[in-house]
Amino acid sequence: ASGAVAAAWGGMVLAMVTWVSAAQATSGKVNIESLGTLEAMMSGNLVALISSGVIHWSHSKLYPQNYDWNTMRDIALLDETTSGLTAEDLDPAMLDEASKWVKKF
């Protein structure tokens, strides 16, 4: 989780710096017009997306969490419980009709 947080904050900071720097580089000044240019906005957006991924990947490689995915089997699924449902809700004919309606769209 710390990698995701670091990636979000790091990506945002790098994106803001890139956005303002690109506005300065393309027009020589930073104002609403220069910040609104496609080049400045695209630069910031690309840096946000790419740097966040690189930061998170790097953090994951440096500090692996080694999650045991088999623990996912211990999580109770909502599909396995019938709490809150009446006998009418579990009627096979009604369920079949609802299934056909869902698959139609």
Side-chain angles (χ1 to χ4, degrees), residues 68-87:
D68 180 16
W69 290 97
N70 291 325
T71 59
M72 297 287 278
R73 293 187 186 134
D74 298 336
I75 299 173
L77 299 177
L78 293 177
D79 293 344
E80 296 172 359
T81 181
T82 58
S83 61
L85 299 176
T86 64

Side-chain angles (χ1 to χ4, degrees), residues 1 22 26 28 32 37 78 80 89 91 93 98-99 102:
T26 56
I32 292 176
T37 62
L78 293 177
E80 296 172 359
D89 294 331
D91 179 41
S99 176
V102 168

Side-chain angles (χ1 to χ4, degrees), residues 35-75:
L35 289 172
T37 62
L38 292 177
E39 294 83 6
M41 291 189 298
M42 180 63 80
S43 300
N45 286 326
L46 286 174
V47 168
L49 292 171
I50 294 169
S51 65
S52 295
V54 169
I55 293 169
H56 191 276
W57 179 83
S58 302
H59 192 278
S60 296
K61 290 297 179 187
L62 290 171
Y63 309 105
Q65 293 183 353
N66 298 325
Y67 180 73
D68 180 16
W69 290 97
N70 291 325
T71 59
M72 297 287 278
R73 293 187 186 134
D74 298 336
I75 299 173

